[in-house]
Amino acid sequence: MTVLTGCSVRVLSDISVGAAAFVDRVGRSWLSRTSGDGEVRGQELAILRRLALASSVALFAVPAGLSLVTSPAVALPAGVATVCAAFLFSAVGSIALSRQRPALRPAEAVIVEHRDLMLESAFGLVLLLDPQGNVTTVGGRDRTEFLSWMRDPTGRGFVEQIHVSDRIVFLQAVDVLRQGRDAHGADLRLERSAVASSDEQFVHVRMELTARRDGEGRLTAIVSQLRDISQDQQLREDAARKAAEAESANDAKSRFLAAVSHELRTPLNAILGFSDILSGEYFGKLENDRQREYVGLIRQSGAHLLSVVNTMLDMSKIEAGRYELLLESFAIEDTIATCEAMLGLQAKEKGLTLTSRIQRGLGEIVADQRAIQQILINLVGNAIKFTDAGGAITIDAALADGMLKLSIGDTGIGIASERLASLGQPFVQIQNDYTRRYAGTGLGLSLVKGLVGLHGGNFSIASAPGEGTVITILIPFDGSGAVTMQQPVDANRPVDFPPRLKHTVEIDEGRNKELMNGPAKAKIA
């Protein structure tokens, strides 16, 4: 009996092995023909094995079950057909789904592969840090270039290569990530391991740090990416140096103008005073008319030079922020009439027509009357200078949207469009060659723009060559835009000499915060 049982088990084992081999052989043949690349995947073959095992059991169970409700002659073929159809549908569907679903890999392998890809392909130098800021892994597309001048950054080696004053910046960046931020950036200077004669001792780098956390939000690692920004830093330093040089040159020009103007006023006052004495013949009569003519020319030339000096002084005050407006209420008609009275004779002698058009009921405005009169005199004087005989000059005044609108138009030589942008700058004239026809310093329009700006107004020019020029000025009618107060002086605050305009000082203070070493300053005692 025992022998028969053993033989039966051996026979069944041989049958199962043979059936499995048959299923593998048939399955391989079918899968190789249905796959696109002719490759048989083990996962698909395992699916066929499981389906074949389940179908072999169903070949007996399904007909037996059907025989309970119908005759065996019907149950046997129906059951076999049902099992075979189920096997085919299941096999085709399972294989199709397995081919559409991407192969699953362990999460650990995916993370390792992504990390390796980042270390190989990311630009710059990539460093993996622990939560204390120690380097654990080095990678990056440009690591060879970085490591050519760096020492080994692993462990504490990276921190030791950071400039001493920048190490606190690096530690603060790491601490920011510890406190919960996901990313942070810092600019650092790294020391070269070997410095050539043409190389700087330190290299400027931009370091971007990204936090890696566990499921509970604790910092587990830091990914840092370094990029060389030495060229960007050099450009910033060059721009700051050039700006400082331009500012220094502008300050030197302002100081020169102020010094020269003050030095010229003293002898000019003497020239004007003695020429008045000579022309008045207080200490004896002049012998002939030629002497009287020469004295008159001396007086006229001195007065002209004094006006130039006064203009230079006013420009120096405006640029230094020391021009104080004295706001008062006055009638603009009176100021325009004064301007016409002062320049009417000059226009008449040149054969020009000077007229004014003032809006009715204009009333009084609030402004610095001396400054407004100086604006009108400069603009009308320029119009007379650049208008040939037979031309006309008009002064218009009107009120528009709370602004006093002054327009001075002429029929003079006009200005080319490419020269309009340069007008209003100090020492710039329409004709600036060696044989210019018109005298002057080129400070008139610059002074006008400065005075209009102090009133909070706008200045515009419209002109065309041969067609004349129209200069329009808009000034707040009630004086609301005027600069009336200077900032209080702090005795402990370093200041430049001479002081500059308010907005220029604010720009300088912002720039000095960015620069490590600013220019030397003087202190008010």
Side-chain angles (χ1 to χ4, degrees), residues 128-132 134 136 177-178 210-223:
L128 297 184
L129 313 176
D130 61 16
Q132 287 72 40
N134 301 320
T136 59
L177 298 184
R178 287 202 203 100
T210 305
R212 289 290 178 264
R213 307 184 186 277
D214 57 15
E216 299 179 358
R218 292 176 297 189
L219 183 67
T220 58
I222 299 173
V223 179

Side-chain angles (χ1 to χ4, degrees), residues 217-486:
R218 292 176 297 189
L219 183 67
T220 58
I222 299 173
V223 179
S224 66
Q225 201 167 7
L226 280 74
R227 179 171 59 90
D228 189 346
I229 60 170
S230 298
Q231 293 184 352
D232 298 342
Q233 182 65 24
Q234 184 64 39
L235 292 175
R236 286 196 292 267
E237 292 177 355
D238 291 343
R241 176 178 54 81
K242 292 179 180 178
E245 291 175 355
E247 183 179 327
S248 177
N250 185 63
D251 289 345
K253 181 261 298 179
S254 297
R255 288 192 295 269
F256 173 77
L257 287 178
V260 170
S261 300
H262 281 290
E263 291 297 326
L264 289 176
R265 284 176 66 90
T266 301
L268 275 177
N269 288 328
I271 293 173
L272 292 175
F274 286 118
S275 63
D276 286 338
I277 292 175
L278 290 175
S279 62
E281 300 180 354
Y282 297 110
F283 298 100
K285 291 187 176 294
L286 298 176
E287 294 183 359
N288 51 58
D289 292 338
R290 183 177 293 268
Q291 291 178 345
R292 295 185 183 91
E293 179 184 359
Y294 289 166
V295 170
L297 290 176
I298 293 173
R299 179 66 175 81
Q300 182 180 356
S301 299
H304 173 71
L305 187 56
L306 182 60
S307 67
V308 173
V309 171
N310 288 333
T311 301
M312 294 171 64
L313 278 175
D314 289 338
M315 282 299 305
S316 299
K317 289 180 181 179
I318 291 175
E319 291 188 350
R322 295 298 184 184
Y323 194 104
E324 185 178 358
L325 295 180
L326 300 177
L327 298 182
E328 57 181 329
S329 179
F330 63 94
I332 190 64
E333 295 94 335
D334 297 339
T335 303
I336 295 176
T338 302
C339 177
E340 289 183 283
M342 293 177 63
L343 300 176
L345 181 60
Q346 181 180 349
K348 184 178 180 180
E349 290 177 349
K350 196 175 179 181
L352 304 176
T353 302
L354 176 60
T355 59
S356 62
R357 296 177 295 188
I358 302 173
Q359 178 181 335
R360 290 185 179 179
L362 192 59
E364 294 186 342
I365 68 169
V366 178
D368 187 322
Q369 185 174 8
R370 173 181 171 274
I372 297 299
Q373 184 170 329
Q374 192 168 6
I375 290 173
L376 290 173
I377 291 174
N378 283 340
L379 293 180
V380 175
N382 277 345
I384 294 174
K385 181 192 303 183
F386 296 108
T387 304
D388 295 332
I393 300 168
T394 59
I395 305 173
D396 294 334
L399 180 63
D401 299 328
M403 304 287 285
L404 172 65
K405 182 178 180 181
L406 294 174
S407 299
I408 292 85
D410 61 61
T411 59
I413 61 175
I415 307 169
S417 57
E418 62 271 12
R419 299 300 304 275
L420 287 177
S422 62
L423 283 180
Q425 301 177 11
F427 307 106
V428 172
Q429 288 185 304
I430 297 176
Q431 291 191 359
N432 199 27
D433 50 19
Y434 294 107
T435 59
R436 62 183 186 177
R437 296 167 51 196
Y438 308 101
T441 60
L443 288 174
L445 283 182
S446 180
L447 178 61
V448 169
K449 290 186 68 173
L451 294 176
V452 171
L454 289 177
H455 282 85
N458 298 320
F459 176 94
S460 62
I461 303 177
S463 182
E467 298 181 5
T469 304
V470 177
I471 297 179
T472 303
I473 295 170
L474 293 175
I475 296 176
F477 195 80
D478 56 358
S480 57
V483 179
T484 58
M485 296 177 59
Q486 300 290 335

